[in-house]
Amino acid sequence: MTADPLAPYAPRPTAGIAAATTELSKVYGSGDTQVVALDRVSIGFREGEFTAIMGPSGCGKSTLMHCAAGLDAPSSGSVRIGTTELSTLGDRQLTQLRRDRIGFIFQAFNLLPTLTALENITLPLTIAGRRPDREWLERVVAMVGLSERLGHRPAQLSGGQQQRVAVARALASRPAIVFGDEPTGNLDSRAGSEVLGFLRASVRDLGQTVVMVTHDPVAAAYADRVVFLADGRIVDETREPTADSVLDRMKRLDPRAR
Ligand code: ADP
Ligand code: MG
C-alpha cells in the first residue's frame, strides 16, 4: 500500500496543487441506514497533471468528485481549490468559484438542445457575464476537432461529438481544474478513446489539470497517475499506468472482479 505522496502538503496552501482534500469524510443517512461513502480521504491534485480515480461501483468515486468540486458538502474534513478553503465560502461565492475555476464533464453530455455547439461551449461564460478569450477558445475548439461544426445543434452531432462539445465547454473558462465523472461512460470505445485523447492533450498541450473518475482500466491508462479507492478509502496509487497494470491492481483490490 502506498501513501499519497501529496498528503503531507494537503493541510496548508501549497504552490502547484490545484485542489486538495484533507481528512474528507462523507456520511449519508443515519442509524441503521448510515453509509460512510468517504472515510478520511486526504489527496492532492498537482497542477498540470491528469489523475484518474478508479475503484469498483459504490466505492465513493462520485462522492469524492462532488465534494472536491464543491458540488456537495463534506460531513467532516476540508477541501480547497488552489488556496481557497471551500468551507469559508458562502453559497454565492461557492457558485462563483465553481463557475470560474472548475470545469465539469459528466457521463450525460448535458447540452442544451436549442443552442449551437459554440453557444453551448460559451454558455457558462455568457452566464458569468465574461467575454471568452478568443485565442484560447480557438485552441480548445481546434483541439477537440469541432471547428467545422460550431453551428450544429446537439441533435445533429454524434454522441462522441456531443461529448467533445462538453469537453470544450469545461475548458472554455480556462479553469484551475477539470473534473470528469465517467466522461466516456456513454460512448463506444472509439468515441471514448477520442475524448480521452483530448483530455490527455489538454493536460499535455494546454497545461490543464484534470481529475477523472472511471471504473474502466483502459480509460485510467490515459492518466499520469491512478488513485484506487475501495470502500471510501484510498488504498493504492500508481504512476504511468497501463490498462494491464490498472486491471491487475483492480483484481487484487476487488475479489469480485476476478
Ligand atoms: P461510485 O461513484 O464509486 O459508484 P458513489 O460515490 O456514487 O460511488 O457512492 C458511494 C456510496 O455512497 C454508495 O454506497 C452509495 O450507495 C452511497 N450514496 C451515494 N450517494 C448517496 C445519497 N445521495 N444518499 C445515500 N447514499 C448515497
Ligand atoms: Mg459514480
Side-chain angles (χ1 to χ4, degrees):
M1 202 184 289
T2 321
D4 173 21
L6 294 171
Y9 301 104
R12 60 196 156 81
T14 310
I17 304 296
T21 73
T22 305
E23 297 272 308
L24 169 64
S25 293
K26 180 72 182 181
V27 180
Y28 290 110
S30 58
D32 285 353
T33 58
Q34 179 173 302
V35 176
V36 179
L38 291 178
D39 187 7
R40 288 161 293 159
V41 172
S42 296
I43 185 170
F45 302 109
R46 230 179 245 141
E47 284 174 5
E49 195 162 84
F50 187 174
T51 304
I53 312 274
M54 275 295 285
S57 179
C59 73
K61 302 183 296 297
S62 293
T63 304
L64 175 58
M65 189 198 112
H66 288 138
C67 289
L71 290 168
D72 206 349
S75 301
S76 63
S78 69
V79 175
R80 70 189 164 72
I81 299 293
T83 57
T84 307
E85 177 66 49
L86 297 193
S87 63
T88 66
L89 303 179
D91 282 351
R92 277 181 58 182
Q93 291 171 304
L94 188 59
T95 301
Q96 198 171 346
L97 175 136
R98 275 200 306 263
R99 195 180 65 197
D100 296 345
R101 296 176 59 195
I102 303 179
F104 295 98
I105 307 164
F106 296 99
Q107 186 171 336
F109 318 132
N110 295 329
L111 304 181
L112 289 186
T114 57
L115 300 185
T116 65
L118 180 62
E119 288 164 346
N120 268 289
I121 291 168
T122 55
L123 184 64
L125 293 169
T126 310
I127 291 172
R130 279 167 70 191
R131 206 193 295 245
D133 174 337
R134 280 278 143 219
E135 200 181 320
W136 172 257
L137 200 61
E138 274 169 31
R139 282 181 76 184
V140 166
V141 165
M143 187 191 78
V144 298
L146 284 171
S147 305
E148 310 297 313
R149 295 198 166 75
L150 290 176
H152 288 46
R153 287 179 215 288
Q156 301 170 294
L157 299 170
S158 68
Q161 288 166 343
Q162 290 184 58
Q163 193 64 316
R164 290 196 229 167
V165 173
V167 169
R169 177 181 57 188
L171 294 170
S173 68
R174 209 165 189 166
I177 188 162
V178 173
F179 287 102
D181 192 353
E182 308 270 3
T184 57
N186 269 342
L187 302 177
D188 62 39
S189 66
R190 185 164 149 246
S193 65
E194 275 172 12
V195 163
L196 291 162
F198 297 135
L199 290 176
R200 177 76 250 152
S202 78
V203 172
R204 186 189 57 224
D205 302 338
L206 307 177
Q208 277 292 327
T209 308
V210 176
V211 176
M212 171 182 75
V213 162
T214 181
H215 65 270
D216 175 7
V218 174
Y222 282 77
D224 298 307
R225 171 192 186 205
V226 183
V227 174
F228 296 88
L229 212 58
D231 292 331
R233 293 185 191 175
I234 294 176
V235 291
D236 204 355
E237 81 162 75
T238 181
R239 292 195 158 267
E240 295 180 25
T242 64
D244 283 342
S245 73
V246 173
L247 186 60
D248 197 50
R249 275 177 199 238
M250 286 291 287
K251 282 181 183 160
R252 274 186 281 145
L253 296 172
D254 179 14
R256 288 167 299 173
R258 260 185 253 265

